[in-house]
Amino acid sequence: MIKNNGKKGMHVYVMLYLCRHVFISQKAYQETETRPESSVYTEMRGVAMLEDSVQDTTEYVRPSEGGDVISTILRREVTHDQTQGTCAEHYSVANANCTQDSDCAKGEIDFDGHGQRTGRCIPYYNDTFKTCEIKSWCPIEEYAVVREPALEQAINFTVFIKNAIHFPKFKVLRGNIKPNKPKKLLRCHYHPKTNPYCPVFSLGFIAAQAREKFSELCRTGGIIGVFINWKCDFDSDPSKCIPTYSFRRLDMRKNLPSSGYYYRFAKYYHKDGVEYRTLIKAYGIRLDVIVHGHAGRFSLIPTIISTVTAMTSVGICSIICDWIMLTFIDKNEVFSEKKFDNISKKPSQPITTDLTLTSYGSTHSDLSDGVPL
């Protein structure tokens, strides 16, 4: 009786687990959609002072039109007044150091260098040693670069992220802002409870959520993923479908050549009929906005499939319970006797039959005398 009650208890436990995990937690009674259509628009706001220069969005935001990728410049290394000409190659380039012209092959291009060699060996700018002369934008970056201080005030810059998502299977379109309150977006900041419809984030908040030091990002730059997660249950009011946000560093953090985030661009101008450029190596934060969506709604077909699966699991559970009781539980012989009927084959006893013959009349045959009957 105890073993039977234990088996029934196991069945009840399995049924409760299936009901809670499959139907309540996993919502297996719903049909789902995990590949929605999405659009993202971003805009960065803020003004800062870099020494005596005013830095606005035109100066530090790339690209200016917004999108699912946006970056801001936090530190610059600038090479001023470069022009097309000849100058000395940097001494760190392979085979660039020389003592005579024969050490420099004319027309040779080193792809780790800055230009084409002229075949001359010249002094390295104002130093005493010599390197090969090249045709390039001169002076080269490594020699003439000016490292500007970091734009530390950028920690208060804000990023506005507008996202619209469409679940075509359920014909539901949702957005992360309320259309009837656009003015509040100019002075609010995101909070998951008090301001869930205000997708405005400061760069300091994003760095902290990604567990990064803003000062380190100013030095090396970095790529941070902004994950917008939509998990919607359309069995209830669709207006309750509100996204959540998470942030994570995407590039390598270690001191590797590929760590951080930077890029180069140039500003061109003419002076006295000669073309010049200002080369800028920019370090900054790049934000990659990544949208995930999952929605579900009640459907009869997955409900039937999940129910049949649960009932089948209970049947399998019965077999497993029997195996456990027969294998591991003490006194399994008692359970085996209750579970199975043993049919024993015993040899049958011989059946004896008493046969008594009774005769009437003569004890001999009349045929022996040849007398016809």
Side-chain angles (χ1 to χ4, degrees), residues 97-304:
N97 294 274
C98 61
T99 56
Q100 54 189 355
D101 292 346
S102 60
D103 295 332
C104 303
K106 184 178 180 179
E108 185 180 55
I109 297 177
D110 193 309
F111 290 99
D112 292 328
H114 297 82
Q116 186 183 50
R117 296 182 181 180
T118 63
R120 296 178 58 203
C121 182
I122 62 174
Y124 183 76
Y125 299 97
N126 296 326
D127 288 305
T128 56
F129 62 92
K130 295 182 178 181
T131 61
C132 294
E133 185 184 54
I134 57 172
K135 292 180 180 179
S136 180
W137 285 93
C138 298
I140 60 174
E141 180 183 17
E142 286 83 352
Y143 171 75
V145 66
V146 176
R147 292 175 174 83
E148 296 181 351
L151 193 65
E152 296 179 354
Q153 295 178 8
I155 193 172
N156 297 317
F157 291 172
T158 59
V159 182
F160 168 63
I161 303 176
K162 182 180 179 180
N163 176 224
I165 191 168
H166 178 222
F167 295 95
K169 180 183 290 187
F170 305 120
K171 298 180 180 179
V172 176
L173 177 65
R174 295 290 299 157
N176 64 340
I177 61 174
K178 287 186 176 181
N180 56 345
K181 296 182 179 180
K183 293 183 179 180
K184 286 189 175 182
L185 296 175
L186 299 177
R187 57 181 182 273
C188 70
H189 285 79
Y190 173 79
H191 190 277
K193 294 183 179 180
T194 59
N195 273 325
Y197 284 104
C198 178
V200 179
F201 310 88
S202 69
L203 292 183
F205 174 82
I206 293 175
Q209 291 295 309
R211 299 181 180 180
E212 296 294 330
K213 293 182 179 180
F214 192 81
S215 58
E216 184 67 17
L217 291 173
C218 289
R219 187 180 69 86
T220 63
I223 303 174
I224 296 179
V226 181
F227 297 89
I228 305 178
N229 303 291
W230 295 83
K231 191 172 183 180
C232 304
D233 183 3
F234 291 143
D235 289 332
S236 58
D237 188 358
S239 63
K240 296 181 180 179
C241 179
I242 302 175
T244 59
Y245 301 85
S246 58
F247 308 87
R248 186 174 72 249
R249 180 80 177 264
L250 298 181
D251 63 304
M252 301 294 291
R253 288 186 177 89
K254 297 181 180 180
N255 293 325
L256 299 175
S258 60
S259 63
Y261 173 71
Y262 63 87
Y263 59 94
R264 289 178 173 87
F265 64 96
K267 295 181 179 180
Y268 296 87
Y269 59 96
H270 287 79
K271 183 171 60 176
D272 298 331
V274 179
E275 184 183 35
Y276 289 84
R277 77 175 187 184
T278 298
L279 178 64
I280 301 173
K281 183 179 181 181
Y283 294 83
I285 296 178
R286 194 183 84 184
L287 303 178
D288 292 4
V289 183
I290 303 170
V291 182
H292 296 293
H294 181 280
R297 178 180 287 171
F298 173 80
S299 179
L300 185 60
I301 294 177
T303 302
I304 294 175

